[in-house]
Amino acid sequence: MSTSTRFDTATRTPFWAETVPPQSACPALGAETSCDLAVIGGGFTGLWCALKARERHPDARIVVLEASLCGNAASGRNGGFCAPSISHGVSNALARWPREATTLVRLGLDNLDGLQEDLERYGIDAEFERQGKLNVAATPWQAEGLESMQLAYARFGIATTLLEGDALRERFDSPKYATGLFEPNYALVNPGKLVAGLRQACLTQGIDIHEHTPVTALNRTPQGVRLTTPQAELGASRVAMATNAAAPLLKRLKMAVIPIFDYTLVTEPLSDAQLSAIGWRDRHGIADTGNQFHYFRKTADNRILWGGFDAIYHYGSRQDEALLHRPESYARLEANFSDAFPSLADVDFSHAWGGIIDTSARTTFFAGTALKGRLAYAMGFTGQGVSASRFAALAMLDMLDGRPTERTRLGMLRRFPVPFPPEPIRSGAVRLAQRHLALEDRTGHRSLFLKTLDRLGIGFDS
């Protein structure tokens, strides 16, 4: 006998796609040609790179090559949390890059300001809302973590408010969470509209975009780099590679990231009364603070997006399209949603989908060059790329221009992450780390295994 669920009739595509008018695909590259800058990948990183390159080089020929449709991969499938950080948060900067933490924090804050200014400059309606983020704790040890987070923020003059009891219930009322830390300087975007806006801005700026044009090989030439695609070759003086979770075109990067699948549910629109019942009257985003954590936010029409918790790795780094849907993860999301929102037991889910996170072993992105400096790459955003992708794009352009800048001098960017081991050790190590992280969530005790990974600068997060 089958058991019905609240996501049985949910659309198995990202909600964001329905908020963007249909767009005609840009034509695939069909004839051999050349350009000054080729950008591989039409997601956030690639589109930001092309657009910012046009600002620096008004007369250059810039070409974007996208294997599918712009934003069809991770950029159009995330929750739209737009952080004032390039380092996966202040605490992560202090833990992993203590000597340059001050610089990382400042650059992260500046980057969010710059992103907002760019949206205004190019007239991109991405539903940008700078309404803050509430971090919530379900256990005493998670509450202690929020207190430590507040101290870390205070070191850099970042204002936060610790909330308990009535003060927390005024912002969010759930029987699951007893403590919260509110940070006002945090933004949300509609990822679908952000991709569409960046894509249109690129086209308006005379940038050529070729969709359904996967790059299958790269070869250095005396003039630069030759890119092979199914129908034609493209010669480029310089190349920016923004493929993130896709199988890397460079051998040196094949062990640097792994694809982790993350899943999301979105409810039907909620009434004002329903939102008042859970104390969520404002527009801030929310995330809990477990290792297995949920992120949740409102959409423009007051649905609740509820994602996270499961972080699924498939043996051999598989990325089959069928893996974008996982009923077991949807069921777990539904159960955890009911635990957090018992008053919303009758609310159905309208959308359910999965996405792939390009996960590095240190939870922050990295960047570098190859092919004698003709190619730059950035990858490993580990679920924190909505805003950091813009900064990474600027760093790649600095590297390609041969410009020593504050960005290019960052050890966080230039130091290569610890590589993941080959199979079968890789999948075993991921499962072991996940078991220890889940145990810490249940007990508050960080195991010797996790402490050893901490000392080695290795993490597993999403």
Side-chain angles (χ1 to χ4, degrees), residues 171-191:
R171 290 193 180 272
F172 179 60
D173 188 1
S174 166
K176 185 174 178 63
Y177 305 109
T179 308
L181 182 69
F182 182 71
E183 50 180 304
N185 186 28
Y186 205 104
L188 297 171
V189 295
N190 176 326

Side-chain angles (χ1 to χ4, degrees), residues 98-158:
R99 293 182 179 178
E100 60 184 25
T102 299
T103 301
L104 289 171
V105 171
R106 173 175 52 80
L107 291 175
L109 295 169
D110 291 346
N111 181 63
L112 184 59
D113 290 340
L115 187 150
Q116 183 174 6
E117 291 167 3
D118 282 342
L119 296 183
E120 295 169 355
R121 177 184 302 116
Y122 290 103
I124 297 174
D125 176 15
E127 296 177 3
F128 182 92
E129 297 180 280
R130 205 162 183 168
Q131 298 294 322
K133 178 187 175 189
L134 178 64
N135 306 281
V136 290
T139 65
W141 49 89
Q142 290 177 6
E144 291 174 3
L146 290 183
E147 293 174 1
S148 297
M149 184 186 297
Q150 185 177 43
L151 291 174
Y153 276 70
R155 286 181 58 174
F156 302 98
I158 299 174

Side-chain angles (χ1 to χ4, degrees), residues 178-299:
T179 308
L181 182 69
F182 182 71
E183 50 180 304
N185 186 28
Y186 205 104
L188 297 171
V189 295
N190 176 326
K193 287 190 173 183
L194 179 55
V195 169
L198 290 172
R199 178 181 181 271
Q200 184 56 51
C202 285
L203 293 172
T204 300
Q205 293 296 316
I207 294 165
D208 294 327
I209 299 177
H210 295 287
E211 295 175 307
H212 298 297
T213 305
V215 176
T216 57
L218 297 168
N219 292 285
R220 190 164 63 89
T221 69
Q223 293 75 35
V225 183
R226 182 159 294 277
L227 296 82
T228 302
T229 76
Q231 297 184 49
E233 292 189 336
L234 173 67
S237 298
R238 298 174 300 165
V239 177
M241 192 170 70
T243 53
N244 297 320
L249 291 162
L250 295 177
K251 184 178 180 180
R252 72 172 70 172
L253 301 177
K254 292 187 183 298
M255 311 294 277
V257 299
I258 58 173
I260 296 294
F261 284 74
D262 176 72
Y263 298 90
T264 302
L265 294 177
V266 170
T267 70
E268 298 288 353
L270 302 186
S271 67
D272 289 341
Q274 287 172 315
L275 291 171
S276 293
I278 59 174
W280 198 356
R281 301 171 187 85
D282 297 330
R283 298 288 304 172
H284 54 271
I286 307 176
D288 62 47
T289 50
N291 294 311
Q292 296 175 293
F293 68 94
H294 289 291
Y295 53 87
F296 37 118
R297 58 162 296 181
K298 296 177 185 177
T299 64

Side-chain angles (χ1 to χ4, degrees), residues 437-450:
L437 290 168
L439 179 63
E440 183 183 18
D441 282 342
R442 293 193 300 271
T443 67
H445 174 69
R446 194 160 185 83
S447 68
L448 179 62
F449 174 71
L450 293 179

Side-chain angles (χ1 to χ4, degrees), residues 6-156:
R6 289 194 278 167
F7 57 82
D8 281 345
T9 60
T11 301
R12 296 303 199 265
T13 54
F15 165 76
W16 310 119
E18 297 182 6
T19 68
V20 179
Q23 299 172 318
S24 298
C26 294
L29 182 68
E32 183 169 344
T33 187
S34 62
C35 64
D36 299 296
L37 173 66
V39 179
I40 308 173
F44 290 147
T45 309
L47 293 173
W48 276 120
C49 190
L51 192 59
K52 303 306 283 186
R54 169 60 73 226
E55 293 177 5
R56 297 186 182 195
H57 307 288
D59 299 323
R61 185 175 181 219
I62 302 169
V63 176
V64 176
L65 303 177
E66 164 55 42
S68 178
L69 295 172
C70 289
N72 197 49
S75 295
R77 293 178 169 270
N78 62 84
F81 281 71
C82 197
S85 173
I86 60 171
S87 58
H88 211 118
V90 172
S91 298
N92 196 57
L94 279 169
R96 298 186 185 279
W97 315 103
R99 293 182 179 178
E100 60 184 25
T102 299
T103 301
L104 289 171
V105 171
R106 173 175 52 80
L107 291 175
L109 295 169
D110 291 346
N111 181 63
L112 184 59
D113 290 340
L115 187 150
Q116 183 174 6
E117 291 167 3
D118 282 342
L119 296 183
E120 295 169 355
R121 177 184 302 116
Y122 290 103
I124 297 174
D125 176 15
E127 296 177 3
F128 182 92
E129 297 180 280
R130 205 162 183 168
Q131 298 294 322
K133 178 187 175 189
L134 178 64
N135 306 281
V136 290
T139 65
W141 49 89
Q142 290 177 6
E144 291 174 3
L146 290 183
E147 293 174 1
S148 297
M149 184 186 297
Q150 185 177 43
L151 291 174
Y153 276 70
R155 286 181 58 174
F156 302 98

